[in-house]
Amino acid sequence: MGKRKVGALEKVDADLSNLQNKIRRDPTSYKDDFVKQYSQYQSHREIFLQAPSSATDAGIVSFRDLIDFTSHVADCFPEITARFADELIEILTLHHKDLESELREKIVGSLVLLRRKDIIDSSILLHALFPILTSTPSKSLRTLLFQKILSDLRNSNSKTTNHRLNRTIQTVLYNLLASDRTSSKGIWAVKLTRELWKRQVWTDSKAVGIMKEAALADNQKVVAGGVRFFLGGDKEREEAEDESSDEEIVDLGRLKHQMGINKKTKKKARAMENALVVVKRKERKKKQPHPLNFSAFHLLHDPQGFSETLFSKHLQNTKSKLNLEQKLQVLQLVSRLVGLHRLTIMSLYSYFIKYLTPRQPSVTSFLASLAQATHSLVPPDVLEPLIQKIANEFVSEAAASEVASAGLNAIREICVRQPLAMNDTLLQDLVMYRKSKDKGVVMAAKGLLGLYREVGADMLKKRDRGKEAAMGLKVGEHKERRFGEEAAGEIEGLDLLEKWKAEERERKKLSGNISDGNAGEEDDEDVDGWEVEEDDESDDSGGWINVESDTEIVISDSDDETPASKRVKIDTTTPRQEDDKENAINAATELEKRTSILATTRILTPADLAKLQELRLEASVNKALPVSQRKRLAQQQQARDKRHADDPLTAAEIEGLATLSKRASKAEKVTLAKEGKGDREEHKSTQAIRRAKKESEGKSTTNREKARKKNFMMTLGKAKGKQKKSLVERGRVLKAHVERGKRGGKRGNKGK
């Protein structure tokens, strides 16, 4: 039987994709064909709405194809398809539970396509999809709707921030959480807000307000999602930003080299064009101003009220349904808010008492939370019982070394934030643990001792103060701290920068590198000269000297004034000790004056600030340990300086010194050694490394290396030919080789 010929009109009717292509090219000529297909869609829709659950498979397939066809060409006939989007939304809203899965996905995809063609607005699409997301029992449909909603919000904010749409959706999410606090539907508001915060689509305080409402909900999953956002949302955003910057690394030089050597094809040309587009996009991104990404903690409205409500609702409330892990996360959030914003919640500290025991699960997390909740405005009377409880429970001769080191480290972290919480007797007892036989306990005790040498040397015994602290107490640099006292704003270590600059000028003067045209050095010298002249003028004019008490006149060494005999104090110290003390006080006064002058007369450049950080680090290390141990301490100090004020104190940092107490197994030692060495490949020769580097860069190899990789049968004829050469031929070849070497190779590259 021969093949039946199909007419042109029958082909058009049967092949919707062909008709779709033709309509896109010439809508006017195929308007009647589209009207015919659209009427079929209307009839299929009416049949389907009469009995959605009893539709046949053939009817569902044809209905799905007609929906797909109409959505692709709806922009060509806007008058005819004016009700098309509303009809799809009606079908999806009323019958999403009864629809067949492929038909349901096709309707959702068609709505998204209509949004991309600007037939419907984003707000209409999102208002249609979001209620279905929170109510449908189908997991596959929820996943699809979440992806579509997220991608539409990202596309709407890709070029410029769509504030109107963002406000609308944020209001919907906030009302979803606030209307019913016990419902689990709020988890979708949490997921959507967290994902948009991570991708930096929403970075304002309204997004933080949504998560604040989620953290105060009554549903456990919603509370856990809101709390985890505050504890880890900023870190996720930074990691996502780093991943997006790393994934677009393109070696343009390698591609150009390959294009010049290899065969030119359209595929490689397209790859080169795409690489150029990526490079240009990266260059534009570099030139754009860096966005101000504030932490979620800083965008909170009323952190005091939020912290009190969290603490009273989820921690103090005996009817709370949260488990221990969830309560610990809430406690970490409250403690971070208290420490960061310096809030006052007195009942929080008494809450810690029952958890400060070594037998408590996750006790190091409780210790870290207590340290985070401590700041300089917390009364020492509130913290002193807690420190005493930690010392009694953790730090004793009977306690294990890991427990003792964790307790000492926790006490140190608390005292860093509030040094007045420690009393003399307990401090002297804890410092004695530096003579322990365990390394972790010794390091923790030395850390506590080093802290109080800086902030409270008068609480230590004379033998424990150290040289620097003893001299500071003698001169008067170390003053007793008072509760609530704030240090005056100044640049720490500015005297070190002044000293370094003076040494650099002296060194350049001695080496003769300073010329008259060096304006920068002349400015420095002029500043120094100006300082001396100002000092001389201040000495001559008695009206500018601030005299606070008679003791300052006694220690003054000015020639114009002669101290009266009534002001001479009878002291048991020798004259030499008095001279040393006066010199030290005068040196400190002069240094303070020079520092203030440098701070008020010079603008520090970024290079100066970098050098200042380096000098501060070096000074803190030099006064702590001898030369043999300075390098390791410098690395630790640098790691502490890099830590931001918003970074949390983790349980791993409390347990840090406890790892020194337990003996590691052989496998742990090998793992630790490999971590220190980084990612290393197997051992290779220098030539193999160079060869691998050439191959990675797309460069070619030498002829000798290519000959090594040739098939043996290809080189067999040449080898046999060499064996058959006569003595005369060998001599001729050698002679030609010598002449070619004299000439400079085949190309004669030897210089004449």
Side-chain angles (χ1 to χ4, degrees), residues 56-113:
T56 60
D57 294 340
I60 291 175
V61 171
S62 60
F63 186 42
R64 187 175 66 225
D65 292 340
L66 288 169
I67 289 175
D68 184 39
F69 165 75
T70 308
S71 61
H72 276 87
V73 296
D75 55 332
C76 298
F77 308 101
E79 297 85 3
I80 301 175
T81 60
R83 290 275 307 159
F84 178 66
D86 297 334
E87 292 168 356
L88 292 182
I89 292 174
E90 181 184 0
I91 293 173
L92 188 63
T93 305
L94 297 177
H95 307 288
H96 62 87
K97 296 180 181 179
D98 303 327
L99 288 175
E100 191 257 344
S101 59
E102 292 185 3
L103 177 60
R104 190 169 55 196
E105 291 178 4
K106 181 61 69 177
I107 293 175
V108 173
S110 299
L111 287 172
V112 174
L113 181 61

Side-chain angles (χ1 to χ4, degrees), residues 514-739:
I514 295 182
S515 61
D516 296 336
N518 195 342
E521 297 296 329
E522 286 179 359
D523 290 341
D524 292 341
E525 293 173 9
D526 292 338
V527 170
D528 293 340
W530 176 74
E531 290 171 3
V532 174
E533 290 174 6
E534 187 187 39
D535 293 341
D536 294 339
E537 290 175 3
S538 63
D539 289 339
D540 295 335
S541 59
W544 291 99
I545 299 177
N546 295 325
V547 180
E548 295 180 2
S549 63
D550 294 339
T551 55
E552 292 188 1
I553 302 175
V554 172
I555 63 173
S556 175
D557 56 351
S558 175
D559 295 332
D560 298 338
E561 299 175 0
T562 56
S565 59
K566 294 180 181 179
R567 295 171 185 170
V568 177
K569 291 185 178 181
I570 300 173
D571 198 356
T572 56
T573 57
T574 61
R576 183 176 181 181
Q577 291 177 345
E578 290 181 356
D579 294 340
D580 293 342
K581 186 175 181 180
E582 289 181 1
N583 293 335
I585 294 173
N586 292 335
T589 308
E590 183 181 357
L591 185 61
E592 184 179 356
K593 187 184 296 183
R594 290 177 62 84
T595 303
S596 61
I597 290 173
L598 180 64
T600 54
T601 58
R602 293 290 302 273
I603 298 176
L604 299 181
T605 62
D608 290 338
L609 294 175
K611 189 64 182 178
L612 179 62
Q613 178 69 16
E614 181 183 345
L615 292 171
R616 276 204 302 250
L617 179 62
E618 183 180 352
S620 62
V621 171
N622 288 345
K623 71 179 182 181
L625 285 179
V627 180
S628 58
Q629 303 179 21
R630 285 177 187 172
K631 184 177 180 181
R632 178 172 54 84
L633 192 65
Q635 295 174 352
Q636 296 175 359
Q637 182 72 20
Q638 192 173 5
R640 284 196 296 269
D641 291 343
K642 286 182 179 179
R643 179 174 171 175
H644 195 265
D646 295 348
D647 294 342
L649 180 67
T650 60
E653 296 179 23
I654 298 293
E655 300 171 359
L657 297 174
T659 56
L660 300 174
S661 301
K662 60 180 182 180
R663 291 188 175 182
S665 62
K666 185 177 180 181
E668 292 175 348
K669 289 179 180 178
V670 171
T671 306
L672 187 63
K674 287 182 178 179
E675 288 178 358
K677 293 177 181 178
D679 298 333
R680 288 189 179 181
E681 300 177 355
E682 66 275 8
H683 176 71
K684 290 182 180 180
S685 64
T686 307
Q687 290 185 354
I689 294 173
R690 290 176 182 170
R691 195 181 307 120
K693 186 179 179 182
K694 278 186 175 182
E695 290 177 358
S696 64
E697 293 175 354
K699 296 180 180 178
S700 182
T701 56
T702 61
N703 290 336
R704 181 173 295 181
E705 290 173 347
K706 289 175 181 174
R708 288 200 192 108
K709 295 182 180 180
K710 275 188 178 181
N711 190 3
F712 176 72
M713 298 303 294
M714 296 173 67
T715 59
L716 190 60
K718 188 174 182 181
K720 287 182 177 179
K722 285 184 178 180
Q723 291 177 359
K724 294 178 180 178
K725 285 181 181 178
S726 64
L727 189 59
V728 177
E729 289 177 347
R730 289 177 185 274
R732 190 183 299 118
V733 171
L734 291 173
K735 187 177 180 180
H737 176 71
V738 172
E739 290 178 355

Side-chain angles (χ1 to χ4, degrees), residues 213 328-329 353 433 615 720:
E213 193 68 24
L328 188 55
Q329 289 179 348
I353 289 286
Y433 280 91
L615 292 171
K720 287 182 177 179

Side-chain angles (χ1 to χ4, degrees), residues 333-521:
L333 175 57
V334 173
S335 62
R336 284 190 67 182
L337 286 170
V338 170
L340 184 62
H341 294 281
R342 304 176 76 180
L343 310 177
T344 303
I345 304 177
M346 290 303 174
S347 56
L348 172 65
Y349 303 99
S350 59
Y351 177 81
F352 282 100
I353 289 286
K354 60 182 178 181
Y355 295 105
L356 299 180
T357 172
R359 294 176 295 277
Q360 171 67 38
S362 305
V363 66
T364 51
S365 298
F366 283 100
L367 292 173
S369 300
L370 174 58
Q372 281 185 140
T374 307
H375 53 84
S376 60
L377 299 181
V378 179
D381 299 339
V382 177
L383 295 174
E384 193 170 347
L386 295 171
I387 294 179
Q388 191 69 48
K389 177 75 181 295
I390 296 173
N392 294 337
E393 293 284 344
F394 290 82
V395 189
S396 65
E397 295 293 339
S401 56
E402 294 90 346
V403 175
S405 60
L408 284 169
N409 205 17
I411 292 174
R412 182 190 177 279
E413 292 293 340
I414 295 172
C415 294
V416 163
R417 294 159 174 81
Q418 179 54 285
L420 300 176
M422 178 70 69
N423 57 54
D424 303 354
T425 308
L426 180 59
L427 177 62
Q428 291 167 8
D429 291 342
L430 296 177
V431 164
M432 291 299 293
Y433 280 91
R434 72 184 189 279
K435 297 180 181 179
S436 173
K437 295 181 180 179
D438 186 79
K439 189 175 181 181
V441 177
V442 170
M443 294 292 290
K446 283 185 177 180
L448 185 63
L449 176 61
L451 170 66
Y452 273 92
R453 281 178 176 175
E454 295 179 2
V455 299
D458 54 331
M459 299 174 64
L460 297 168
K461 292 183 178 180
K462 286 187 178 180
R463 66 171 182 268
D464 297 332
R465 290 174 182 173
K467 180 181 176 182
E468 296 289 335
M471 291 178 63
L473 284 175
K474 188 175 181 181
V475 173
E477 291 180 359
H478 294 275
K479 297 180 181 179
E480 183 181 357
R481 288 198 175 192
R482 297 180 181 179
F483 175 66
E485 184 181 6
E486 294 291 337
E490 60 180 7
I491 302 175
E492 181 185 356
L494 199 58
D495 54 338
L496 300 173
L497 183 63
E498 169 70 13
K499 184 179 177 182
W500 177 79
K501 283 181 173 292
E503 290 176 355
E504 286 292 311
R505 284 195 297 270
E506 291 296 329
R507 185 179 61 80
K508 290 183 178 181
K509 284 179 182 178
L510 293 175
S511 60
N513 291 336
I514 295 182
S515 61
D516 296 336
N518 195 342
E521 297 296 329

Side-chain angles (χ1 to χ4, degrees), residues 123-136:
S123 59
I124 297 174
L125 175 65
L126 297 176
H127 277 96
L129 297 184
F130 192 76
I132 302 172
L133 172 67
T134 57
S135 60
T136 181

